[in-house]
Amino acid sequence: MTDGRCPVPHAAPPHRLDPTGAAQHAVNDRLRARGAAVPILLPGEVPGYAITRHEELKEFVTHPDVAKNACHFAALRSGGIPPGWPLATFATVQGMTTADGADHRRLRSLVTRAFTPRRVEAMRPAIEELTETLLDGLERAAAGAPDGVADLRRHLALPLPMGVICRMLGVDAEHQDRLHEVSNEIVSTRTTPERVVAANREMVALLGQVAAARLASPGDDLTSALIAAREENGDRLSESELIGTLLLMIVAGHETTLSLITNAVRALCDHRDQLELVRAGAGPHGPTWADVVEETLRWDSPVSYFPFRYPTRDLAVGDTVIPRGAPVLVSYTSAGRDPRAHGADADRFDITRPAATRHVSFGHGAHYCLGAPLARMEATIALEALFTRFPALEVAVPDAELVPHPSFVGNSPVELPVRLG
């Protein structure tokens, strides 16, 4: 990065991000070739930029003149964002992901007090038990299907992280299915304006019910801990910050992990040599299931183009000047396959890659994902249990027939039909 005075603004036409999420890796290859920062068009003809390369992404997200608070979003301030814009929640939700400086440190500190390593590690037995129960269900679903095919996403990848995060938050079982459905609408970049408004209202109402239930009957859960933190003297979460924090935890706490598990299974089934490596253990220093998780995060990140950051002044990234107040998305799927960072074979799925070439898929800097240890634990437990019980598991359709989730924010197929073998 430079001070923005020397490079000229990007002259190439903006790339229109496909709201269906189709062919993301092929698109990323083309955009990386255009530069480290590429002009894009978002839904509603909103202009923005995407950061496509690994090192520049790390520099950009830690730059002192880059903000997360939507008060810096020029088009939003000027009324240039259409009503019901599908990405509005990412910009306007109140919580850690849209806060800067001291405000961000305050919110993160409050959440960190509730989301402790002890609390996460204490979930391990429950995660292992739930995984085995879900694998029983997956086996029954396959046995009951005429073709022996079951959707791994529906029977394992989704209910595992959703069940875990809802248990951690103290969410009653009656709300879980609807929370996922509404979360899906919020993450999708194809949601209609009317549904965007309705989905956000419903999510706020659902989370308000969760908070009210825990306020009336506190327990050993994150929501109760966050409410307790809100009621302490001094720093506290406001009502909207509490709801925004719960929304963040629900969405990030299951959408990303379900895609991580789905993408890892897909990758291992497409690369049987890598599956055999990890199953064999290849000696005391051989690859582990944790290595599978890390390589999946690099090679096929569950989060693709994540919104938003805003330069607080004109800022040069590579040969492109990003104007002050422009919305910027960082592409973790593109950075993960950047040959400048990961070598000429960056497109190859290789669980033996050294740690030095690892990914930035959990973010970088002050906004690094608090839930990373939980996601890693869930995915590692799920993969080992799945392939231990079903070593011959295979995806039941050609890879080209898998339909992506309709979003350029998320990255995974909507279904993963498998045969257990």
Side-chain angles (χ1 to χ4, degrees), residues 9 29 41 134 152 157 244 271 276 293 332 334 391 396:
D29 289 344
L41 275 180
L134 293 171
L152 183 131
H271 301 82
E276 291 311 311
V293 170
Y332 295 122
S334 181

Side-chain angles (χ1 to χ4, degrees), residues 36-60:
V38 178
I40 57 174
L41 275 180
L42 299 167
E45 304 301 301
V46 176
Y49 289 80
I51 308 297
T52 65
R53 298 177 184 171
H54 178 95
E55 287 301 325
E56 287 85 351
L57 186 155
K58 291 171 65 178
E59 292 176 16
F60 182 79

